[in-house]
Amino acid sequence: MNDSQQSLWQELQTKGLVSGELAAPVMPESPWYVRLLVGFSGWLAAGFMLGFFIAGFEFVFENPGVAIVLGAAMIGLAYKILQGVTESDFKNQFALAISFSGQGLGAFGIFYHLDSLQGFSWTIAAVVQAGLAWYMPNSLHRLCSTVIASISICIALAFGHFYFIQVGLLMAAVAFVWLRELDWLELHGKIKPIAYGLTLALIYQGNSSQVTKEMMDVLLSDNLTKGMLDSPWLGELLMGLVMLGTVWTLLKQQQKTQSLQITGAVMVVTLLLVLVSLEAHGITIGIMILLLGYANGNRMLTGLGIVSLLFDISAYYYRLDVSLLEKSKLLALMGLLLMAVRVVIHVWQSRIREAGHA
């Protein structure tokens, strides 16, 4: 706002043509392709800078301790840049690239130092990423750090003989965050990207659990693998309890508009759905995300639930260890149960309308 604009506004006020204070000028938003090019330029600049360090300071990769220190310094620099950025796509993307490069250097140093304690290394990586998810003043950085932290803690659990509870714990975290979303309105800027990061990590783990299991079987020795594979029922139990708890909480939030019979019917159908999906537990993940998205009125979360459900059904249908007939029967039974839930909801809504007219 310059002096000429201010003087013109005061003259208009004197003539009674306008009132109030002169509004600050609104800068038009750049087109998406310009923002994309500027963001790419930020990553390109950061890549050149990292290449300079690699070419000119080769000793960094020969000394893991120096790599950790340099990585921490790069993360600190990215934090300072992001802390002062408002609407600069170049600076935002440049800072993100610097931060991820620093995280890569730090991870190299940590895993090199703790080569014999890989489970502990993944735990440290999860803690560091969790800290970055909370403190870094950038939504995309928080989302990415949450995904990396979630996957890291899952791998650490696998090294600690707790492979089968990974997905169940992630389900519990996702349900807890989205069900309590309204309780943290003052922290909305931090919680929302973290919640989406947990959801994406859950979808990934749910759809890649079999592949991850085979990888861990190769990585871990026989004595570790034996203990890890002795209790697969524990993970199924945890996932079922999380699903039942989520449905119960959603019903409890609507307790003034529902009867005890409707509540019981929904819980019974949910329990049957959990039992039927024991052979295809990923389907339960998609249904839970879909329910949370619909209950919160969140279209993005609802869409993620639909995508997860489609991936889960496809992954189960193309499994080679189960015959096509068995898979078709299970999917048909789950479809009937879901239609039963729809009937229960329809009856519930009809009774609510009748009570309202009465």
Side-chain angles (χ1 to χ4, degrees):
M1 183 185 307
N2 52 41
D3 294 337
S4 61
Q5 289 176 327
Q6 186 66 38
S7 60
L8 176 61
W9 183 261
Q10 290 175 354
E11 183 179 348
L12 292 173
Q13 277 183 323
T14 304
K15 295 180 179 181
L17 297 176
V18 295
S19 60
E21 296 293 332
L22 177 60
V26 178
M27 298 298 295
E29 186 176 354
S30 301
W32 66 267
Y33 48 85
V34 176
R35 299 185 65 185
L36 179 64
L37 183 60
V38 171
F40 174 75
S41 301
W43 281 86
L44 187 64
F48 277 119
M49 190 176 79
L50 183 62
F52 167 75
F53 277 111
I54 294 175
F57 301 94
E58 187 178 353
F59 71 93
V60 170
F61 293 91
E62 298 176 356
N63 191 327
V66 176
I68 294 175
V69 173
L70 180 59
M74 293 175 70
I75 294 173
L77 175 63
Y79 175 80
K80 283 295 183 181
I81 295 174
L82 290 173
Q83 202 174 30
V85 169
T86 53
E87 294 295 333
S88 174
D89 292 314
F90 178 83
K91 287 185 179 179
N92 268 314
Q93 299 304 318
F94 180 78
L96 287 176
I98 291 295
S99 176
F100 292 143
S101 300
Q103 293 171 47
L105 282 174
F108 165 76
I110 291 172
F111 281 88
Y112 185 90
H113 270 305
L114 302 174
D115 183 53
S116 59
L117 300 171
Q118 293 191 30
F120 187 58
S121 301
W122 285 106
T123 303
I124 294 176
V127 172
V128 171
Q129 291 297 328
L132 293 176
W134 185 258
Y135 289 107
M136 273 293 183
N138 182 274
S139 296
L140 180 59
H141 198 299
R142 286 193 172 108
L143 186 145
C144 294
S145 294
T146 303
V147 172
I148 298 172
S150 302
I151 295 175
S152 297
I153 199 63
C154 286
I155 297 175
L157 286 170
F159 276 101
H161 310 182
F162 298 105
Y163 171 80
F164 285 104
I165 66 172
Q166 299 173 0
V167 180
L169 290 176
L170 268 180
M171 280 185 69
V174 170
F176 177 77
V177 172
W178 285 115
L179 289 173
R180 298 288 303 276
E181 182 184 12
L182 296 178
D183 297 335
W184 299 318
L185 291 178
E186 67 280 2
L187 297 173
H188 185 265
K190 288 185 177 182
I191 297 298
K192 196 158 189 177
I194 291 175
Y196 278 118
L198 288 170
T199 305
L200 292 174
L202 174 61
I203 294 173
Y204 170 78
Q205 285 295 126
N207 284 281
S208 63
S209 58
Q210 185 63 29
V211 176
T212 308
K213 171 182 174 299
E214 294 173 357
M215 290 174 59
M216 296 307 301
D217 288 345
V218 175
L219 289 173
L220 298 177
S221 58
D222 292 337
N223 59 334
L224 293 178
T225 305
K226 181 179 179 181
M228 182 181 65
L229 299 178
D230 278 343
S231 55
W233 58 269
L234 191 60
E236 303 291 349
L237 175 63
L238 181 58
M239 293 174 63
L241 289 175
V242 172
M243 182 66 181
L244 290 170
T246 301
V247 174
W248 172 259
T249 304
L250 292 175
L251 291 172
K252 191 177 179 181
Q253 291 175 354
Q254 304 292 329
Q255 57 185 353
K256 294 182 179 179
T257 57
Q258 67 184 1
S259 65
L260 184 61
Q261 292 82 1
I262 295 295
T263 301
V266 172
M267 292 303 297
V268 169
V269 173
T270 304
L271 178 60
L272 292 175
L273 184 64
V274 169
L275 294 175
V276 171
S277 62
L278 289 177
E279 289 296 322
H281 61 265
I283 296 177
T284 307
I285 296 172
I287 294 174
M288 188 195 77
I289 296 174
L290 189 59
L291 286 174
L292 291 171
Y294 182 78
N296 288 11
N298 189 325
R299 294 184 178 180
M300 178 68 73
L301 188 59
T302 303
L304 287 175
I306 294 173
V307 170
S308 176
L309 197 56
L310 291 174
F311 275 125
D312 295 330
I313 293 174
S314 301
Y316 173 70
Y317 193 78
Y318 287 102
R319 278 177 53 183
L320 300 178
D321 57 335
V322 182
S323 68
L324 187 61
L325 179 60
E326 292 177 2
K327 289 184 285 192
S328 301
K329 289 180 179 178
L330 182 62
L331 292 177
L333 182 57
M334 293 189 70
L336 292 174
L337 286 173
L338 291 174
M339 286 190 287
V341 173
R342 176 66 185 92
V343 171
V344 171
I345 294 174
H346 180 71
V347 172
W348 175 21
Q349 291 176 337
S350 300
R351 292 188 179 181
I352 292 175
R353 294 193 195 98
E354 291 174 1
H357 290 308

